[in-house]
Amino acid sequence: MKQLVCIVCPNGCTLNIDDSGDEIKVTGGKCKKGSDFAVAELTCPKRTICTTVKTVFKNAPVLPVRVSSDIPKDRIFDVMNEINKITVKDKLKRGDVVIQDVLGLGADVIATSDILSLIT
Amino acid sequence: MKNYYDVTVIGGGPAGIAAAAEAARNHASVLVIEREARLGGILKQCIHDGFGLVRFKEKLSGPEYAERFIDLLNETDADITVLTFVTKIVKTSGGYRITMVSRDGVASVVSKTIILATGCRERTAKQVFIHGTRPAGVFTAGTAQNFTNLLGQLPCRKCVILGSGDIGLIMARRLTLEGAQVIGVYEAKSTPSGLTRNIHQCLHDYNIPLYLSKTVTRVFGEDRLTAVEISSVDKSMKPVKGTEEIIECDGLILSVGLIPENELAETLGVKIDPKTKGPVCDQSLMTSADGIFSCGNALHVNDLVDYVSESGETAGKAAAEFNASARECIDAETNSNISYIVPQKIDLKGDLSKVVFYFRSRDILKNCKLSITLDGGVVKEKKYMFLRPPEMERIVLDFSKYNLHKNSRLIFNAEGEKI
Ligand SMILES: Cc1cc2nc3c(=O)[nH]c(=O)nc-3n(C[C@H](O)[C@H](O)[C@H](O)COP(=O)(O)OP(=O)(O)OC[C@H]3O[C@@H](n4cnc5c(N)ncnc54)[C@H](O)[C@@H]3O)c2cc1C
Ligand code: SF4
């Protein structure tokens, strides 16, 4: 029996995982997302990345960004590397794509703030 | 800016934004006063995700969450003034006279009601006792976050984090992502103070060690920090001689807690709860001073912004509907397993149909039961697998069906196994 903490929501349920049989059995979560999370953790753990990207604007030298959907956990630093190569020159808005389909992982890197349209 | 407002909100963080929008939607004339250049408060620099799960069922980053609310505020006709700092509030016949300073000089308005949404501040090195020199390289977690996420500058290359509060955990991950080395998170208490999920997704995911019952006892370095001394602490949090170890680093990040910011409230003679360090309020979030409301982290330190917005809306609606009249309050009492409860009072003349309480347990309690009694009879029971001090709980009660009177006793009892 393994234990995992579900990180999907602030409840942080402790999940009990029984993977001795053919099927992975998960108990302890307050909702179904807990078992989905546990199965993903045992097969292909995924995470989000929230970071910043450089800009050319003096009053907002960095723009907050995130990936539009979770990416494999072991590719986090590869994606960071791609994000660190970029300098934003346009006044992007919240939700605008900064890198499309980053490293072919099926997720875009998107801006998470309107800060560039608010500065002078 | 007009001369007179029904509602003036001081502080343009998530609490103030929600309060202002809700007051305006309830037909009040509203002014928001923010000292920084942009609305958004602390969320401007909280670029990580995890905001809005309760409210939007989505994992938003701090800026996204704040900007959604700012968009809603911009749809109302509330007036907003930024780069403006409130210096003085005095009671007048029509309400309160608020004096503020901005780049245009000094100005003042009269407001019927005031909502204090000034957020909280971080405990600093002065409040934790550390020996040694005063080199550069010692930051609060919030300052390190500001450097990294707003200025785009890495505050250090190799650091130690003191305190396991959520901001420290989040900064451990953030600095690691940006290429800095985080040697470890050191916590003086025997249990972590941040949310369990942050211990997992910020530390375990990046192999950052968490050391409990250890603290920083000395810092070294002339101009710049070169090393810190770590010691184990005993049960009474005293460093144990002979356990010292020296760790080389160029950054020490303090994540040792937040305190509600209530300087303005204190000048108004608002009663402060020693447990929350925020004002004592009734269910409309009105403080002991008539017409002065409090919400967000100024009221008590929240771990989820969703509840910050909720408290803002409660205060905003109540301020818009405010009419000076005598209150008749009873206390919300707790047993010793509960460290605090908000609101601390129930006004029997106010709305009793939906009273939202927020509380925290004092220790980690397992298999516990909360039972709420009114004059000896149980009005609500709720079971929890765990109650943990870092995780605030919320419970809603409808008192309209009970016969509350001024001698009524309302008691929150939490019982469970201490671990
Ligand atoms: C670093 C950090 C990480 C967090 N992470 C999470 C998370 O992952 N998920 C989550 O749900 N919550 C998180 N929180 C909690 C959440 O951010 C806060 O609960 C929320 O921002 C509090 O909102 P507020 O409006 O009360 O205060 P603040 O956001 O602090 O806003 C207060 C505002 O008042 C202004 N102000 C203060 N005094 C004056 C004055 N005299 N005159 C004019 N203006 C004034 C300030 O400039 C500021 O803009 C985090 C908090 C911090 C600090
Ligand atoms: S199991 Fe459900 S309720 Fe529990 S932490 Fe995961 S998502 Fe949240």
Side-chain angles (χ1 to χ4, degrees):
Chain A
M1 194 75 116
K2 284 185 204 150
Q3 280 201 331
L4 263 185
V5 171
C6 179
I7 59 168
V8 177
C9 91
N11 283 331
C13 298
T14 303
L15 307 171
N16 300 309
I17 302 156
D18 180 0
D19 60 352
S20 53
D22 289 343
E23 237 178 274
I24 302 174
K25 284 199 196 104
V26 185
T27 52
K30 277 191 204 162
C31 80
K32 174 150 189 318
K33 284 188 200 151
S35 52
D36 296 347
F37 172 76
V39 172
E41 278 300 280
L42 296 187
T43 50
C44 171
K46 290 192 160 189
R47 291 293 182 271
T48 186
I49 304 179
C50 293
T51 182
T52 53
V53 50
K54 283 192 297 285
T55 78
V56 295
F57 304 100
K58 195 171 109 264
N59 290 332
V62 286
L63 173 69
V65 296
R66 67 173 164 95
V67 284
S68 58
S69 59
D70 289 356
I71 55 139
K73 190 174 160 185
D74 56 11
R75 303 298 301 274
I76 289 175
F77 283 95
D78 297 337
V79 172
M80 278 302 290
N81 225 345
E82 292 304 303
I83 294 172
N84 288 341
K85 287 181 192 161
I86 302 275
T87 302
V88 171
K89 298 183 188 70
D90 302 318
K91 292 203 166 180
L92 298 182
K93 292 208 153 208
R94 188 164 96 229
D96 284 353
V97 174
V98 178
I99 305 176
Q100 202 153 26
D101 191 11
V102 62
L103 296 174
L105 296 171
D108 299 333
V109 174
I110 57 168
T112 61
S113 171
D114 279 339
I115 180 171
L116 298 181
S117 50
L118 296 169
I119 52 155
T120 42
Chain B
M1 205 151 60
K2 303 179 201 122
N3 295 321
Y4 177 86
Y5 289 91
D6 297 323
V7 180
T8 298
V9 180
I10 304 176
I17 298 166
E22 187 66 14
R25 283 192 290 265
N26 282 280
H27 316 293
S29 57
V30 179
L31 171 67
V32 182
I33 305 173
E34 167 57 51
R35 68 179 166 199
E36 291 190 13
R38 285 191 294 139
L39 297 182
I42 199 77
L43 293 194
K44 296 195 296 286
Q45 65 182 55
C46 296
I47 62 156
H48 58 279
D49 78 333
F51 297 86
L53 275 165
V54 180
R55 185 135 193 154
F56 298 114
K57 307 278 177 281
E58 268 183 78
K59 280 201 289 188
L60 300 173
S61 69
E64 287 172 292
Y65 183 93
E67 289 174 18
R68 280 198 188 188
F69 276 88
I70 294 170
D71 290 348
L72 293 176
L73 177 61
N74 286 335
E75 284 171 18
T76 71
D77 51 16
D79 288 341
I80 300 166
T81 168
V82 294
L83 291 172
T84 308
F85 188 76
V86 172
T87 52
K88 200 164 89 183
I89 306 175
V90 288
K91 184 133 186 54
T92 64
S93 52
Y96 296 91
R97 176 164 291 282
I98 303 165
T99 308
M100 60 197 113
V101 187
S102 69
R103 281 198 284 208
D104 302 333
V106 181
S108 85
V109 295
V110 170
S111 188
K112 186 171 158 199
T113 63
I114 294 177
I115 299 177
L116 299 168
T118 45
C120 59
R121 61 191 138 91
E122 296 178 277
R123 278 182 222 268
T124 60
K126 281 196 206 99
Q127 285 145 311
V128 268
F129 191 67
I130 301 175
H131 289 283
T133 48
R134 288 269 168 263
V138 183
F139 310 92
T140 64
T143 307
Q145 193 176 44
N146 193 302
F147 268 96
T148 317
N149 295 346
L150 290 178
L151 304 176
Q153 291 169 13
L154 206 55
C156 52
R157 299 250 143 238
K158 186 175 173 188
C159 72
V160 157
I161 298 185
L162 176 62
S164 58
D166 287 311
I167 319 169
L169 302 179
I170 283 167
M171 281 315 292
R173 173 178 65 183
R174 182 74 189 109
L175 292 168
T176 307
L177 275 180
E178 288 296 345
Q181 186 194 348
V182 178
I183 300 163
V185 174
Y186 296 81
E187 169 60 59
K189 286 184 289 178
S190 58
T191 54
S193 44
L195 298 174
T196 319
R197 66 194 291 260
N198 283 338
I199 306 275
H200 284 265
Q201 64 182 354
C202 299
L203 301 187
H204 295 353
D205 272 5
Y206 294 88
N207 300 317
I208 301 167
L210 169 65
Y211 302 97
L212 298 171
S213 303
K214 279 180 187 284
T215 192
V216 171
T217 39
R218 190 179 278 273
V219 295
F220 302 94
E222 285 308 317
D223 300 329
R224 178 80 198 194
L225 184 73
T226 55
V228 298
E229 178 192 79
I230 307 270
S231 301
S232 297
V233 296
D234 60 19
K235 283 213 175 73
S236 59
M237 308 275 256
K238 291 248 159 49
V240 180
K241 277 238 147 49
T243 60
E244 301 87 355
E245 55 179 312
I246 308 288
I247 291 173
E248 275 178 37
C249 56
D250 70 348
L252 169 63
I253 291 174
L254 305 169
S255 176
V256 288
L258 302 167
I259 321 169
E261 171 75 67
N262 277 300
E263 263 173 48
L264 286 171
E266 279 163 33
T267 66
L268 286 162
V270 163
K271 208 172 144 208
I272 301 290
D273 180 348
K275 295 178 192 159
T276 56
K277 313 257 185 316
V280 172
C281 284
D282 65 24
Q283 73 270 37
S284 71
L285 302 183
M286 182 151 55
T287 67
S288 62
D290 285 343
I292 306 270
F293 296 80
S294 172
C295 56
N297 278 359
L299 175 58
H300 62 122
V301 175
N302 287 259
D303 33 73
L304 289 182
V305 74
D306 310 68
Y307 299 134
V308 166
S309 302
E310 179 182 54
S311 72
E313 285 165 355
T314 303
K317 181 162 190 290
E321 290 169 352
F322 174 75
N323 260 317
S325 60
R327 287 184 270 175
E328 190 171 272
C329 291
I330 61 164
D331 290 330
E333 300 173 54
T334 66
N335 72 348
S336 63
N337 283 334
I338 294 175
S339 65
Y340 77 70
I341 190 152
V342 170
Q344 296 86 345
K345 292 188 179 288
I346 309 292
D347 175 15
L348 305 183
K349 302 217 168 110
D351 184 3
L352 294 172
S353 65
K354 190 190 168 206
V355 180
V356 182
F357 289 97
Y358 308 101
F359 68 94
R360 284 178 199 275
S361 69
R362 190 176 304 279
D363 302 294
I364 301 179
L365 291 178
K366 204 179 161 179
N367 296 328
C368 49
K369 190 169 87 180
L370 173 75
S371 70
I372 304 166
T373 63
L374 184 64
D375 298 324
V378 175
V379 291
K380 186 150 189 156
E381 280 187 331
K382 192 169 176 187
K383 290 203 172 115
Y384 298 87
M385 210 138 61
F386 283 101
L387 281 178
R388 296 186 177 96
E391 291 162 20
M392 192 188 78
E393 295 294 336
R394 170 185 186 273
I395 197 158
V396 185
L397 288 177
D398 176 1
F399 290 111
S400 61
K401 50 188 184 223
Y402 299 104
N403 179 24
L404 286 184
H405 51 85
K406 67 173 195 297
N407 297 321
S408 284
R409 287 195 68 186
L410 174 69
I411 308 177
F412 288 70
N413 289 293
E415 298 296 348
E417 304 156 30
K418 276 189 195 153
I419 51 169

